Amino acid sequence: MFKKILIANRGEIACRVMETARSLGIKTVAIYSDADANAKHVALADEAFRIGPAPVAESYLRSDKIIDICRVSGAEAVHPGYGFLSENPDFVDALETAGITFIGPSASSIRAMGLKDAAKALMEEAGVPVVPGYHGDNHDPAFLKEQADQIGYPVLIKARAGGGGKGMRRVDDPADFADALQGAQREGEASFGDGRVLIEKYLTKPRHIEIQVFGDSHGNAVHLFERDCSLQRRHQKVIEEAPAPDMPEDMRRAMGEAAVKAAKAIDYAGAGTIEFIADVSEGLKSDRFYFMEMNTRLQVEHPVTELITGEDLVEWQLHVAAGGKLPKTQEQLSFSGWAFEARLYAEDAPKGFLPAIGTLEHLALPEHSARVDSGVRSGDEITPYYDPMIAKIIVHGPSREAALGQLLASLEATEVAGCVTNAGFLAALCRHDGFTAGDVDTGLIDRDLQSLIAEPEVPEDAVSLAALTALGLTRSASGDDPFDTLGGWRIWSASRQFALLEIAGERRDVEVQAQGQHRFAVHLPSGVRSYSLVDVTGNAIVFDCEGHRARAVVVKGKKGLTVFLGGHAFPVNLPDMLSADDDASGAGDQLIAPMPGLVKVLSAKAGDAVTKDQPLVILEAMKMEHTLKAPRDGVIGEVLATEGEQVTDGTVLLALAEENDAAA
């Protein structure tokens, strides 16, 4: 076994690998960019080395620097995690030349599965079922149109390189094929440097089911059963589970055998995932699943497989990379219970899942009721440079119903302040009737998106607690106030105070009257309600409202408050009393960067007439492109940014002329 390894990654996967390495007595070496100098994975490692500035091309993708650090530190092997260099065969070759072990498959295996069309051709030769379609080398548009007509609509045009939903277009009408083809080719060229595509039959009710495979250098290969990853948005996974709901045993066996056959076809050694698409228009059937692609690395969702099988897949990776045989045969592997994983991201679901940045002023994760894989801590910053994942929340129960209930409870117990998250959206998915019943497919989220992102009505208790906290009245109940015995109460009259709050975009002037020690009357739209603060410990408040006792957490940050109550988070801004009546003048006349990023495309110039919601700027941030649109009809008065410019959040990118000026 290795004595020291380098983890060529960051965040939660780097921390995850370090935990297993430490349990095996293996020393770990971390690398970090300038943005990650104080990151959790740096603190956990035995040693850490600066790799470069924040952009990934200057840091985590610098294979030459990683190899230099291996030499300096004495690391014998490199674990790539996922993303970054994990599926880069040139990196594997460079490590091999330097005499350093890659904890993953061979470069030839990665190359064999690197392009979707070549991989599918290889799978057809191996007898693995593939989606009906065209995967050949003729990329003439007229020829591709003929192939699509023969396959039958709807079809899916897919860039043959890359992933993550880029370079993909669904075509329902033959008349739309040419435009969709050009769009997919442009996006494939821009994203992966390869504009070639393949054409597939689009399944109207598909499920995304994948098989975890493992091979070794001695010719052995096994599967560790399936994961269902059908809950997706924009072709990206949201919640994964294992096993798959309603999976017939004959289909599980057929998929497992096909996956092992695929792994053996390329002499695969290490952890990998064979991704299948299943046509469930008539339910799950053993002759209705098709190979999509192979991920030649450890998957983000690998913990659900670990929880149902009891195996540590990172330990398996280390064992196999060190030359060992697979720890178990197929006959020795089994699973029990049910597991779910939810990906907690810093993103704003109601605003199109826009990635968010900010400081995690308060972070409380449900580590007693769930396994939590995270690479951040309270006080850490979510930056625009990397994937905005905060944590993976993973649960295991004896049944699907029990595990799903446990996941919902864990999400409702999750508290993040200082940065908007998708926790509410994930909890809404756990309450969704179709998902609860196991009736899932890849279109579920899009069909019911509006109900899933609907923000809950702000309860009056949350308003009251925000007002009491804003006025400093909760401090007396905690014992932090030197005037604790007074509690804001006057013996000759009840003191009156007013808290100016902004909740759900609405400003509220809330009147509070002290009625005695830790007792207050709060004036609300429904009337005056009486509150008693039973206990205040830190941010936690136990309160009694007219005979109903409950607990909440209220966190005060730089920009306002966050009230955690009843499984929901309610952000509250505290406007400046002196500027309470001021509107954000001109806000509707400006296009403002919602986050730091790179101005990728600027499709407007001064004097251009534009219409409301017309795309004007493409901003690249957190490895994704975000289209910014005109706030209203008008004329561009001034362009304040340039293509290729790196801007900060809040930067005014362009301004519309005032309507009177435009009319003139």
Side-chain angles (χ1 to χ4, degrees):
M1 184 54 75
F2 308 111
K3 294 180 180 178
K4 182 185 289 188
I5 65 171
L6 181 146
I7 295 91
N9 217 297
R10 63 177 300 280
E12 65 86 15
I13 186 58
C15 296
R16 161 73 188 91
V17 173
M18 288 175 191
E19 288 174 2
T20 289
R22 180 183 290 115
S23 72
L24 298 174
I26 300 171
K27 299 289 186 181
T28 58
V29 179
I31 57 174
Y32 63 89
S33 71
D34 291 342
D36 282 338
N38 299 311
K40 181 179 177 181
H41 77 278
V42 175
L44 285 178
D46 294 295
E47 301 175 66
F49 291 81
R50 178 184 179 273
I51 191 85
V56 294
E58 302 175 48
S59 54
Y60 295 105
L61 295 182
R62 288 294 303 271
S63 57
D64 56 335
K65 286 191 175 182
I66 291 171
I67 291 172
D68 287 343
I69 292 170
C70 285
R71 292 192 179 110
V72 171
S73 66
E76 308 157 80
V78 171
H79 194 299
Y82 48 72
F84 294 148
L85 295 168
S86 63
E87 294 180 283
N88 186 318
D90 294 336
F91 179 53
V92 179
D93 285 336
L95 286 172
E96 184 177 346
T97 300
I100 301 165
T101 301
F102 180 71
I103 303 173
S106 66
S108 61
S109 293
I110 295 174
R111 288 191 175 98
M113 290 298 182
L115 296 175
K116 294 182 178 67
D117 54 354
K120 290 187 178 183
L122 181 63
M123 290 300 99
E124 283 182 308
E125 291 178 14
V128 178
V130 301
V131 180
Y134 176 73
H135 315 125
D137 295 326
N138 189 337
H139 296 281
D140 177 72
F143 177 79
L144 293 176
K145 172 68 164 54
E146 290 177 4
Q147 297 302 307
D149 292 342
Q150 291 178 18
I151 294 167
Y153 295 87
V155 297
L156 190 65
I157 305 172
K158 298 172 68 172
R160 71 171 195 159
K166 294 182 179 179
M168 295 178 66
R169 297 289 190 279
R170 172 181 170 174
V171 186
D172 295 284
D173 189 331
D176 298 329
F177 183 85
D179 287 342
L181 175 63
Q182 291 176 9
Q185 289 173 329
R186 280 196 309 270
E187 203 164 272
E189 182 66 39
S191 301
F192 317 117
D194 189 342
R196 287 168 287 185
V197 301
L198 50 87
I199 313 294
E200 291 182 348
K201 176 68 178 175
Y202 183 85
L203 305 181
T204 55
K205 193 172 182 182
R207 272 172 64 179
H208 182 142
I209 300 174
E210 61 189 31
I211 302 290
Q212 176 71 59
V213 294
F214 234 103
D216 63 25
S217 57
H218 303 276
N220 303 306
V222 298
H223 71 83
L224 289 92
F225 312 104
E226 80 277 3
R227 299 185 288 256
D228 195 307
C229 306
S230 299
L231 278 189
Q232 300 180 8
R233 56 162 183 82
R234 296 187 300 208
H235 305 288
Q236 294 179 331
K237 300 164 187 174
V238 177
I239 294 179
E240 301 96 349
E241 62 181 297
D246 302 321
M247 171 67 82
E249 191 54 45
D250 65 331
M251 185 173 181
R252 174 175 291 124
R253 183 169 52 253
M255 291 185 79
E257 290 173 354
V260 170
K261 188 183 295 184
K264 287 187 173 182
I266 58 172
D267 298 321
Y268 196 80
T273 299
I274 310 295
E275 301 200 356
F276 293 102
I277 195 81
D279 179 358
V280 294
S281 55
E282 298 178 10
L284 286 173
K285 295 189 175 182
S286 60
D287 61 349
R288 296 284 185 89
F289 69 90
Y290 311 98
F291 172 87
M292 283 200 305
E293 62 185 1
M294 181 178 189
N295 289 308
T296 53
R297 54 172 168 77
L298 195 67
Q299 292 278 88
V300 177
E301 59 273 20
H302 76 274
V304 295
T305 296
E306 293 185 321
L307 290 187
I308 65 166
T309 63
E311 306 296 335
D312 184 329
L313 298 189
V314 174
E315 183 175 345
W316 278 43
Q317 284 186 297
L318 295 168
H319 180 74
V320 167
K325 292 184 177 181
L326 291 177
K328 289 187 178 181
T329 64
Q330 193 66 64
E331 293 71 26
Q332 292 172 318
L333 289 166
S334 63
F335 71 89
S336 63
W338 217 282
F340 286 94
E341 173 183 293
R343 303 186 185 192
L344 181 67
Y345 277 97
E347 63 182 10
D348 195 332
K351 293 183 179 178
F353 299 94
L354 190 70
I357 63 170
T359 300
L360 299 172
E361 297 171 339
H362 173 79
L363 179 64
L365 299 172
E367 295 178 344
H368 297 297
S369 60
R371 166 177 163 178
V372 176
D373 287 8
S374 179
V376 295
R377 303 151 298 186
S378 285
D380 285 352
E381 184 178 359
I382 302 296
T383 74
Y385 301 107
Y386 314 114
D387 185 90
M389 179 183 284
I390 295 173
K392 300 186 307 194
I393 298 173
I394 314 115
V395 299
H396 180 254
S399 65
R400 188 175 190 274
E401 181 182 12
L404 189 56
Q406 191 176 344
L407 179 61
L408 176 58
S410 296
L411 289 167
E412 290 179 338
T414 297
E415 300 170 5
V416 184
C419 200
V420 65
T421 78
N422 66 339
F425 166 71
L426 295 172
L429 273 172
C430 293
R431 302 184 193 101
H432 185 278
D433 289 343
F435 183 49
T436 300
D439 182 16
V440 295
D441 64 84
T442 58
L444 184 149
I445 289 177
D446 287 340
R447 285 195 304 271
D448 296 334
L449 182 61
Q450 293 309 308
S451 63
L452 291 169
I453 63 175
E455 299 190 70
E457 183 177 346
V458 182
E460 290 190 331
D461 286 343
V463 176
S464 298
L465 293 172
L468 292 172
T469 304
L471 293 171
L473 299 174
T474 57
R475 291 173 56 233
S476 63
S478 69
D480 293 336
D481 195 324
F483 299 101
D484 181 29
T485 55
L486 298 178
W489 179 67
R490 301 174 187 171
I491 195 167
W492 56 90
S493 67
S495 66
R496 299 174 62 200
Q497 300 185 62
F498 293 86
L500 181 61
L501 312 175
E502 186 178 301
I503 306 177
E506 177 186 349
R507 285 191 173 179
R508 306 188 187 190
D509 201 5
V510 182
E511 180 182 346
V512 177
Q513 290 178 297
Q515 295 184 318
Q517 191 173 11
H518 311 150
R519 293 173 48 240
F520 306 93
V522 182
H523 292 248
L524 299 162
S526 65
V528 180
R529 303 183 70 185
S530 297
Y531 285 85
S532 297
L533 302 183
V534 179
D535 180 68
V536 179
T537 304
N539 296 316
I541 301 174
V542 178
F543 65 95
D544 188 294
C545 179
E546 299 172 355
H548 175 244
R549 185 168 294 196
R551 180 185 181 275
V553 171
V554 184
V555 178
K556 192 167 185 177
K558 294 179 180 178
K559 298 181 180 179
L561 307 170
T562 303
V563 180
F564 299 96
L565 178 66
H568 298 282
F570 303 99
V572 181
N573 290 328
L574 301 177
D576 187 342
M577 295 285 284
L578 298 178
S579 60
D581 297 326
D582 292 342
D583 291 322
S585 59
D589 295 334
Q590 299 175 335
L591 202 61
I592 298 172
M595 68 187 75
L598 179 72
V599 179
K600 194 83 177 220
V601 176
L602 188 60
S603 57
K605 62 181 183 298
D608 285 355
V610 298
T611 57
K612 188 178 187 302
D613 293 330
Q614 177 180 332
L616 298 179
V617 178
I618 294 179
L619 191 69
E620 184 180 77
M622 296 180 175
K623 303 191 297 183
M624 298 175 64
E625 290 186 350
H626 309 279
T627 300
L628 308 182
K629 302 176 181 179
R632 62 169 173 83
D633 295 348
V635 174
I636 303 294
E638 190 176 10
V639 177
L640 302 167
T642 57
E643 286 190 3
E645 181 182 355
Q646 188 78 33
V647 297
T648 60
D649 59 317
T651 299
V652 179
L653 305 175
L654 59 82
L656 300 180
E658 293 186 12
E659 297 195 45
N660 291 340
D661 294 342

